[in-house]
């Protein structure tokens, strides 16, 4: 695996592959990798000729007072992990390479990007859309792989790619979980052992949501109330968001469940803000 830190060098390395008609699979990350990221890279390895991963902790997507400085970093460990799954190139630029000056151009997806997590973290998705556009311009991938855990991020990027006719296929990959059901996330490292045990409640809340829908709970509002109550029983959990949405549009479904129900949780445990989600097929809608 070749490790590259400048845009010019990466373009020079990928140009000949493109000329030969090779497909490029891209896995953008912020590093401190886990099995979820490696699963993305394995999908890319299976589907495409050349696999490029990036590690860049993007300052634009962190708000004031968020964990930009503290975000965990370990490039040597990440490098070995990416190599073990057959990554061809790792692009790991310093901030001055990506943003030599404070950018005056942003990519914004204001409707999808300002709801849900975007309401809790203003400008977060603008930072994501801007850096992903830059990375797509640099790598020019055939396909790019993103974890479904960040469901809203996938929706925002898909919309951006469609609106701006970007020639890349977005491939969402299912969430990878630990044995106890906790979704893998680089931010799990912030959890104390006690908080880690408490975080199991998120995945259990999603299982509860599924059974309540199957049992015919009356409305999205009733489901949201039950999930809030269930999560609040855990004293270490601080709810930022419990949302029931239409999984295809992210819109509030009002009084009736949509065909595909997104349950999205954004909950604090100590210093960690954890995201989790499930999409539930509404069997009633099928019948
Ligand atoms: O999901 C992430 O790790 C980041 O938001 C991404 C897509 C790499 C952009 O910085």
């Amino acid at each position: 695996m070749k490790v590259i830190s400048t845009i010019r060098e990466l373009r020079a390395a990928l140009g000949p592959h493109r000329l030969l008609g090779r497909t490029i699979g891209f896995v953008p990350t912020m590093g401190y990798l886990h099995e979820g990221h490696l699963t993305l890279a394995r999908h890319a390895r299976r589907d495409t000729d050349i696999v490029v991963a990036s590690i860049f902790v993007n300052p634009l997507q962190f708000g004031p007072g968020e964990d930009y400085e503290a975000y965990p970093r370990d490039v040597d460990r990440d490098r070995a992990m990416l190599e073990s799954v057959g990554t061809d190139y790792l692009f790991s630029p310093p901030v001055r390479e990506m943003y030599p000056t404070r950018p005056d151009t942003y990519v914004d997806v204001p409707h999808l990007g300002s709801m849900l997590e975007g309401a809790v973290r203003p400008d977060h998705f603008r930072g994501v859309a801007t850096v992903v556009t830059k990375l797509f311009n640099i790598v020019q991938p055939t396909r790019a792989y993103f974890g479904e855990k960040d469901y809203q991020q996938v929706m925002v990027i898909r919309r951006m790619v469609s609106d701006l006719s970007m020639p890349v296929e977005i491939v969402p990959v299912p969430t990878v979980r630990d044995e106890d059901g906790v979704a893998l996330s680089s931010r799990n490292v912030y959890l104390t052992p006690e908080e880690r045990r408490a975080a199991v409640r998120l995945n259990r809340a999603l299982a509860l949501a599924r059974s309540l829908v199957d049992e015919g709970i009356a409305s999205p509002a009733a489901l949201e109330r039950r999930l809030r109550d269930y999560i609040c029983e855990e004293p270490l959990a601080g709810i930022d968001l419990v949302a029931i949405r239409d999984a295809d549009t992210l819109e509030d479904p009002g009084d009736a469940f949509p065909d595909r129900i997104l349950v999205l949780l954004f909950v604090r445990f100590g210093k960690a803000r954890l995201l989790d989600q499930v999409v539930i097929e509404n069997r009633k809608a099928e019948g």
Side-chain angles (χ1 to χ4, degrees):
M1 181 178 77
K2 196 149 193 266
V3 183
I4 292 179
S5 60
T6 67
I7 297 169
R8 182 210 285 251
E9 216 191 321
L10 187 68
R11 286 198 169 128
L14 294 179
H17 293 299
R18 215 169 281 114
L19 280 178
L20 289 168
R22 293 187 179 134
T23 54
I24 297 176
F26 180 42
V27 181
T29 82
M30 296 207 301
Y32 212 71
L33 305 180
H34 50 67
E35 190 54 33
H37 297 110
L38 296 188
T39 304
L40 303 181
R42 283 194 198 97
H43 277 261
R45 179 71 287 158
R46 205 184 50 205
D47 298 351
T48 53
D49 299 323
I50 301 295
V51 178
V52 181
S54 65
I55 295 180
F56 180 63
V57 184
N58 170 37
L60 286 194
Q61 68 189 77
F62 290 79
E66 288 190 8
D67 56 344
Y68 173 66
E69 299 294 343
Y71 198 84
R73 293 159 167 93
D74 189 343
V75 177
D76 290 340
R77 177 176 153 274
D78 291 346
R79 184 193 294 211
M81 288 169 83
L82 287 169
E83 197 146 32
S84 76
V85 291
T87 307
D88 297 300
Y89 297 96
L90 166 58
F91 179 51
S92 166
V95 174
R96 64 177 184 283
E97 178 73 9
M98 291 295 277
Y99 304 119
T101 55
R102 198 187 153 77
D104 197 21
T105 306
Y106 293 89
V107 180
D108 207 358
V109 187
H111 181 63
L112 281 180
S114 62
M115 55 172 76
L116 300 169
E117 185 182 353
V120 181
R121 305 180 72 192
D123 293 340
H124 168 69
F125 286 110
R126 186 177 81 153
V128 171
T130 302
V131 80
V132 171
T133 300
K134 266 180 88 81
L135 290 166
F136 283 178
N137 284 338
I138 295 164
V139 176
Q140 297 175 42
T142 319
R143 299 200 181 105
Y145 297 79
F146 293 88
E148 270 178 358
K149 182 175 77 66
D150 297 316
Y151 191 91
Q152 184 175 6
Q153 171 169 282
V154 175
M155 294 283 283
V156 165
I157 289 168
R158 278 199 150 144
R159 184 63 198 250
M160 171 187 93
V161 162
S162 157
D163 285 351
L164 299 181
S165 307
M166 294 179 173
V168 54
E169 182 191 339
I170 302 303
V171 185
V173 176
T175 303
V176 178
R177 297 179 181 280
D178 260 336
E179 275 171 20
D180 60 3
V182 173
L184 297 190
S185 162
S186 307
R187 288 188 166 101
N188 289 355
V189 73
Y190 299 147
L191 297 167
T192 63
E194 212 186 355
E195 289 160 356
R196 179 66 182 67
R197 278 191 293 277
V200 168
R201 192 156 276 256
L202 289 195
N203 185 46
R204 294 205 179 132
L206 298 176
L208 174 65
R210 197 186 282 283
S211 46
L212 288 171
V213 169
D214 286 348
E215 284 161 20
I217 189 164
S219 65
L223 177 60
E224 185 186 324
R225 267 196 308 276
R226 288 288 299 274
L227 295 181
R228 278 182 182 276
D229 291 348
Y230 179 74
I231 294 168
C232 282
E233 281 168 22
E234 170 49 65
L236 295 179
I239 294 179
D240 275 332
L241 190 74
V242 172
I244 316 299
R245 294 295 171 105
D246 183 320
D248 297 322
T249 62
L250 296 188
E251 296 296 342
D252 187 335
D255 293 339
F257 283 110
D259 293 354
R260 296 177 68 243
I261 306 160
L262 170 70
V263 178
L264 198 137
L265 310 176
F266 196 35
V267 178
R268 277 169 285 112
F269 292 88
K271 282 189 291 177
R273 263 173 155 176
L274 303 186
L275 260 180
D276 210 342
Q277 56 72 229
V278 69
V279 174
I280 303 170
E281 302 291 334
N282 181 4
R283 300 222 182 93
K284 269 202 191 144
E286 285 164 20

